[in-house]
Amino acid sequence: MRKATCFGFRLCIRLRHILNVAKQGEDYDSKAQYAKRWLPILKDVPAHRVYTTEPLTDDEQKQYGVILGIDYAAPIVDLFSSANEQKFSLL
């Protein structure tokens, strides 16, 4: 059995397990219905672009009416580099 570190009732971190938010979104919300319900600014963004790790291009931002850093928060974490850092810190 794996050990888990729990904070409160809902947040648990399994050691040596890193949650990939993009993959979880694609697996469990492939049509982006949940994301768009809680983030209505994403209503015009196609589902396949909601959970990608690549930010929207300037053209896509104009096309979908979502300007990163103004209408929606700009990315603050590089998913791949932070995941690699966490993998090594958990060893």
Side-chain angles (χ1 to χ4, degrees), residues 26-40:
E26 290 169 0
D27 288 350
Y28 298 106
D29 187 29
S30 61
K31 295 180 183 176
Q33 293 172 328
Y34 182 84
K36 290 180 179 189
R37 175 181 177 173
W38 296 104
L39 300 167

Side-chain angles (χ1 to χ4, degrees), residues 12-64:
C12 289
I13 302 168
R14 284 189 294 169
L15 298 179
R16 297 183 183 217
H17 178 83
I18 298 170
L19 177 66
N20 182 330
V21 177
K23 183 173 181 339
Q24 293 292 310
E26 290 169 0
D27 288 350
Y28 298 106
D29 187 29
S30 61
K31 295 180 183 176
Q33 293 172 328
Y34 182 84
K36 290 180 179 189
R37 175 181 177 173
W38 296 104
L39 300 167
I41 192 70
L42 301 178
K43 70 181 179 351
D44 294 327
V45 178
H48 73 275
R49 291 295 283 138
V50 170
Y51 289 110
T52 59
T53 57
E54 300 294 322
L56 295 174
T57 65
D58 291 341
D59 289 338
E60 288 175 320
Q61 291 179 51
K62 290 176 188 170
Q63 180 181 354
Y64 306 135

